[in-house]
Amino acid sequence: MKKNPFKMFTRPARPSEPARHAKRSWKKRSSRFGFSNAMLALALVFLFLPLFVIVFYSFNEAKDTTWTRFSLVWYEKLIFGSGDLWASLWNSVIVAVVSSLVATVLGTMAAIGITWYKFKGRGYIQTTSFLPMVLPEVIMGVSLLIFFSGIKMSLGLTTIFIAHTTFCMPFVYLMVSARIDEFDYSIIEASHDLGANEVQTLFKVILPAIMPGIVSGFMMSVTMSLEDYVITFLVSGPGSTTLPLYVYSMIRFGVSPVINALSFALILAICLVTIILRKSVKSFASSR
């Protein structure tokens, strides 16, 4: 008896009636509002309720938490009467973008080199690269301060940039390494078979394939750099006030609702940048 050569392409048998019934009952149970959904809802409320409070009071005319009436007075003061605030924000943006770019390049190259190449001390480097992620910020900030003092380096934006690059690079390395673990190595073999050298394979095959991990690491680095206070406070100097340092200095005199207005503006800007990057990465991946 001849075997059917197209048997492997035939449509699989439909599941039995008890299996379909069990699947429908499982969907009904999972769609109910159970304990897991309740915990998810509470977590979302816990995370996003402070943001809604900030946005709400940014439109309040009064300076305290007593609601009087809707007003845009704090946005007007933010735009026209907050020179020091804009200067600190500009310092934060410069440090965040530059340090994140450097950390992204170094972290990506480290992830590629450590994952694909075997050399002496590879395991030691893998272990020590995660230390900035697990060490308390106070310890890391003090160690960096001692290092800068030991080499007689003046504290300022440069030291903040070095510190932020140091603690952001392991996060980039982790995210890019996770992307590399799912990489299809047959693509590299195909590129070599087609005559590509290592440099061409790196820039035309590997980097486009792991680009979502690279972009995610860059965005995480920018976020962590913008919100860092402890390490920045320890390694900052005169004329290098960032936004977290400026906001904390205002607490002793009472936080102005201008900060609420700035927070809402930053939320909108971050959402816009995230949407643009998401669409750009999708279009970039689909074009390859």
Side-chain angles (χ1 to χ4, degrees):
M1 183 177 180
K2 294 183 179 181
K3 294 183 179 180
N4 184 8
F6 300 100
K7 186 177 180 181
M8 60 181 297
F9 299 105
T10 57
R11 182 178 299 179
R14 298 181 63 183
S16 60
E17 183 63 28
R20 292 197 299 268
H21 179 73
K23 187 176 181 179
R24 287 195 298 266
S25 62
W26 170 255
K27 286 183 177 180
K28 290 180 180 179
R29 288 197 302 267
S30 62
S31 62
R32 296 175 184 174
F33 191 79
F35 178 77
S36 299
N37 293 331
M39 292 296 100
L40 176 62
L42 289 177
L44 292 176
V45 171
F46 179 79
L47 291 174
F48 291 100
L49 184 60
L51 299 181
F52 289 113
V53 172
I54 288 176
V55 174
F56 178 77
Y57 282 107
S58 67
F59 296 102
N60 185 21
E61 187 181 32
K63 190 174 183 179
D64 54 14
T65 57
T66 303
W67 177 264
T68 55
R69 64 175 182 174
F70 180 87
S71 177
L72 297 176
V73 60
W74 304 116
Y75 290 90
E76 181 181 356
K77 290 185 178 181
L78 172 65
I79 297 174
F80 300 106
S82 303
D84 295 337
L85 179 61
W86 285 111
S88 62
L89 176 61
W90 182 244
N91 289 337
S92 294
V93 170
I94 292 177
V95 171
V97 173
V98 177
S99 63
S100 298
L101 285 174
V102 177
T104 301
V105 174
L106 296 178
T108 301
M109 295 297 103
I112 294 174
I114 293 175
T115 303
W116 281 333
Y117 294 95
K118 294 183 179 180
F119 50 89
K120 189 176 181 180
R122 178 170 173 261
Y124 174 77
I125 296 176
Q126 282 181 314
T127 303
T128 56
S129 61
F130 293 104
L131 284 179
M133 299 175 59
V134 298
L135 287 177
E137 290 188 349
V138 175
I139 296 178
M140 188 172 177
V142 171
S143 62
L144 288 171
L145 178 60
I146 295 174
F147 171 75
F148 293 141
S149 300
I151 62 175
K152 308 298 181 182
M153 189 173 184
S154 302
L155 299 181
L157 287 179
T158 303
T159 55
I160 296 176
F161 158 74
I162 297 174
H164 285 205
T165 304
T166 303
F167 73 77
C168 286
M169 187 172 61
F171 292 92
V172 179
Y173 166 76
L174 180 64
M175 302 195 72
V176 176
S177 297
R179 184 71 180 180
I180 293 177
D181 290 338
E182 302 176 355
F183 193 83
D184 186 7
Y185 292 89
S186 62
I187 303 177
I188 299 179
E189 296 177 358
S191 67
H192 289 165
D193 292 339
L194 294 174
N197 54 33
E198 289 191 4
V199 176
Q200 292 173 334
T201 302
L202 174 63
F203 286 98
K204 294 186 178 181
V205 178
I206 298 175
L207 291 182
I210 64 175
M211 187 57 66
I214 297 175
V215 175
S216 300
F218 173 76
M219 292 299 297
M220 177 175 287
S221 299
V222 172
T223 303
M224 294 181 59
S225 177
L226 286 175
E227 60 88 23
D228 181 76
Y229 170 76
V230 177
I231 298 177
T232 306
F233 175 77
L234 292 172
V235 300
S236 62
S240 59
T241 302
T242 59
L243 183 62
L245 299 179
Y246 182 83
V247 172
Y248 184 79
S249 65
M250 296 176 62
I251 294 178
R252 65 191 67 177
F253 305 107
V255 179
S256 172
V258 174
I259 301 299
N260 297 336
L262 177 63
S263 300
F264 183 45
L266 290 177
I267 291 173
L268 293 179
I270 292 172
C271 292
L272 180 62
V273 171
T274 303
I275 293 173
I276 293 175
L277 287 177
R278 180 183 175 86
K279 292 184 177 180
S280 300
V281 170
K282 281 186 175 181
S283 61
F284 178 81
S286 60
S287 63
R288 293 288 170 177

